[in-house]
Amino acid sequence: MEIDGEEEEFGFSRNYFLAKDLASSGKKSTQKLSDIDLVDEQELRAAASNIEPKHEKEIVSLMNSYKSLYSRWVFELGCGFGLLMYGFGSKKALLEDFASTALAESSVVVINGYLQSINIKQVVIMLAEVLWDQFKSKRKTPSRSLPKAQQPFNSRSMDDLLAFLDGSEVKDNDCFVCVVIHNIDGPGLRDPETQQYLARIASCSHVRMIASIDHVNAPLSWDKKMVHTQFNWYWHHVPTFAPYNVEGMFFPLILAHGSSAQSAKTAAIVLQSLTPNAQSVFKILAEYQLSHPEEEGMPVDNLYASARERFLVSSQVTLNSHLTEFKDHELVKMRRHSDGQDCLCIPLASEALEKLLSEMNQ
C-alpha cells in the first residue's frame, strides 16, 4: 500500500510539472477583440430579466432573521462604531429596512455608491443642511443660542463643512445624521480622494455611518488609520443571496456591444492577459492619442523614447515584443505617416479610450 501511494504521488508530481511546461510553452495569449462574441445590450438585458429567481422563500427567511440584530446594530452605532456589512448578495433591501425601522426617529441620508458618478461635496452639503435643520427643530435650547451660519453651506469649503459636522458650531450630542452607503466600494466612490473624505465624514461627532461592500479588494482602499480610527468599522457578515438587480442596472454589460462603454470593457478584458509593463506601454500610447487627436498616430520612435524614459523597456526588441502582442490582440494598428514614419493608433473612439484608461487606473 505504501509503494502504491508513492507511485501515485510521483505520478501527480510528474503531471504537475508537465502541465507547467505546457503552460509556459504558450508564450502569448491568443485572445482577440474580434473573438469575443457580443450581443445587443437590450437583448442581453431582456434575457437577464427573464431569469427566474430561485430560493425566494429561503432568502426572505434569511432577511427576516437579521431583524433580531437591529437592536444590537443601533447599540453599536451609539458606541461610536461604523457598521460595515459584507457577504454574498445585495444588501440594499437589508440596509433600507434597518434604516426605515430601527432608525425611523433619526435623520437618514442614503448614498447610492453603485452609481457611476457622485459629487462628494454635494453629499457633505446635504449632510450639513440636514444636521442644521435638526438643530433648529430641537427645542432644548433657545433658537437665539444657535449660531447663525455666516454663509450658505453650498459656498463653504469642504474643511468648514466637515468642521460643522464635527460640532465646531453647535455641540449637541443628541443630534446626529445617519449615513447609509450602498456599496461604499462602488465606481463612484472608490477613488482614493473620495475614500479619504468618507473616512473624515465617518469620524465626525454628529455622523453615524452604515455601509456595505461587495468587492473582494474593497479593504485595500483604506489604511490603518481609516479603518480603526476614522471609520472605526464593526464588521458584520450578512449574506443575503439576493440578486443585484438595482446595482447591476448601472453597470455596462461586458457581453454586449454598441457603446463606448462596452468597447472599453472588451479591450480591458484583453489587456488583463498582458504583463504590467505591456499595459503601461499601452497606456502611454492611449494618453498620447487622446492628447493629439489631430495626428494620425504616435510614431514608434516617440513611444520607445517615452517607454524607456519610464523604465518600461530596455531595448527596441522589448518594445517590439509588446507591439506584436498588441497587434495580435487587435488592440493597436500600424499606420504609415505622411512623412514616412511608422505610427501606432488604437482603433477606439475617444470616448471609449477615455473609459478604458479609467478602467486601467482603478
Side-chain angles (χ1 to χ4, degrees):
M1 293 294 292
E2 185 177 350
I3 295 176
D4 292 341
E6 291 179 355
E7 289 180 352
E8 183 179 353
E9 184 177 352
F10 174 75
F12 173 80
S13 302
R14 182 178 61 184
N15 292 335
Y16 171 79
F17 287 107
L18 283 174
K20 293 290 286 185
D21 289 339
L22 289 173
S24 61
S25 64
K27 294 183 179 180
K28 59 185 180 181
S29 170
T30 58
Q31 296 180 10
K32 297 180 181 179
L33 283 175
S34 58
D35 293 336
I36 301 177
D37 187 19
L38 304 179
V39 298
D40 183 73
E41 182 174 358
Q42 292 184 350
E43 181 180 347
L44 189 58
R45 289 195 182 275
S49 64
N50 291 329
I51 298 176
E52 292 187 8
K54 296 181 179 180
H55 310 293
E56 287 184 292
K57 292 182 179 179
E58 290 80 1
I59 290 175
V60 171
S61 177
L62 180 62
M63 294 280 283
N64 289 332
S65 69
Y66 292 135
K67 293 181 183 293
S68 62
L69 301 175
Y70 285 3
S71 58
R72 174 184 171 182
W73 296 351
V74 172
F75 175 75
E76 291 166 355
L77 283 174
C79 291
F81 290 101
L83 305 183
L84 186 64
M85 311 300 183
Y86 71 100
F88 183 79
S90 172
K91 291 161 283 295
K92 186 175 187 296
L94 175 63
L95 294 189
E96 290 181 353
D97 183 69
F98 170 64
S100 63
T101 55
L103 303 177
E105 297 182 1
S106 304
S107 299
V108 179
V109 174
V110 178
I111 302 173
N112 296 320
Y114 49 78
L115 298 177
Q116 296 296 318
S117 61
I118 296 174
N119 188 321
I120 190 63
K121 184 169 184 181
Q122 289 300 319
V123 170
V124 178
I125 291 172
M126 182 188 302
L127 295 177
E129 290 175 346
V130 170
L131 184 62
W132 182 253
D133 289 341
Q134 192 176 144
F135 286 148
K136 290 192 297 183
S137 66
K138 293 282 185 179
R139 297 303 179 188
K140 293 181 180 180
T141 57
S143 58
R144 62 177 180 273
S145 66
L146 289 174
K148 293 183 179 180
Q150 296 179 356
Q151 55 183 334
F153 287 117
N154 56 12
S155 62
R156 293 197 188 188
S157 67
M158 282 291 284
D159 289 338
D160 286 343
L161 291 168
L162 291 169
F164 174 75
L165 293 175
D166 199 30
S168 64
E169 296 185 18
V170 179
K171 299 185 182 299
D172 187 340
N173 294 330
D174 293 332
C175 293
F176 58 87
V177 181
C178 295
V179 183
V180 176
I181 306 179
H182 298 302
N183 302 100
I184 195 173
D185 53 346
L189 299 174
R190 67 174 58 142
D191 61 281
E193 183 181 7
T194 301
Q195 289 294 324
Q196 289 284 349
Y197 276 127
L198 289 174
R200 292 177 64 185
I201 292 170
S203 66
C204 292
S205 60
H206 292 299
V207 173
R208 307 288 184 268
M209 186 171 287
I210 309 103
S212 66
I213 59 171
D214 284 290
H215 199 287
V216 66
N217 292 324
L220 297 178
S221 303
W222 310 315
D223 57 30
K224 188 175 181 180
K225 176 185 176 183
M226 294 167 71
V227 172
H228 299 295
T229 305
Q230 294 178 306
F231 284 122
N232 197 21
W233 290 130
Y234 201 117
W235 296 67
H236 287 281
H237 185 223
V238 286
T240 64
F241 301 97
Y244 295 92
N245 290 332
V246 177
E247 298 92 327
M249 289 177 60
F250 301 93
F251 281 86
L253 299 177
I254 295 176
L255 299 178
H257 66 74
S259 70
S260 59
Q262 276 74 57
S263 299
K265 284 286 186 181
T266 53
I269 293 171
V270 177
L271 281 168
Q272 287 174 2
S273 67
L274 305 182
T275 64
N277 275 6
Q279 293 178 27
S280 297
V281 171
F282 182 87
K283 187 177 177 181
I284 294 175
L285 180 58
E287 290 172 345
Y288 182 91
Q289 184 165 317
L290 286 174
S291 59
H292 300 79
E294 72 286 348
E295 296 187 11
E296 299 176 62
M298 184 177 189
V300 177
D301 293 342
N302 291 6
L303 178 60
Y304 173 64
S306 297
R308 184 162 185 174
E309 186 179 285
R310 303 184 192 186
F311 302 101
L312 297 175
V313 299
S314 56
S315 65
Q316 185 71 46
V317 175
T318 307
L319 177 63
N320 289 340
S321 67
H322 292 324
L323 295 181
T324 300
E325 283 191 306
F326 295 159
K327 288 184 283 187
D328 288 345
H329 295 312
E330 299 179 351
L331 290 170
V332 167
K333 290 185 178 181
M334 183 80 74
R335 289 179 179 174
R336 180 74 65 177
H337 198 270
S338 56
D339 61 1
Q341 290 189 76
D342 288 331
C343 295
L344 301 164
C345 69
I346 302 169
L348 290 174
S350 297
E351 184 180 354
L353 198 53
E354 289 175 355
K355 290 183 179 295
L356 177 57
L357 279 176
S358 177
E359 290 280 336
M360 295 178 69
N361 291 331
Q362 290 179 1

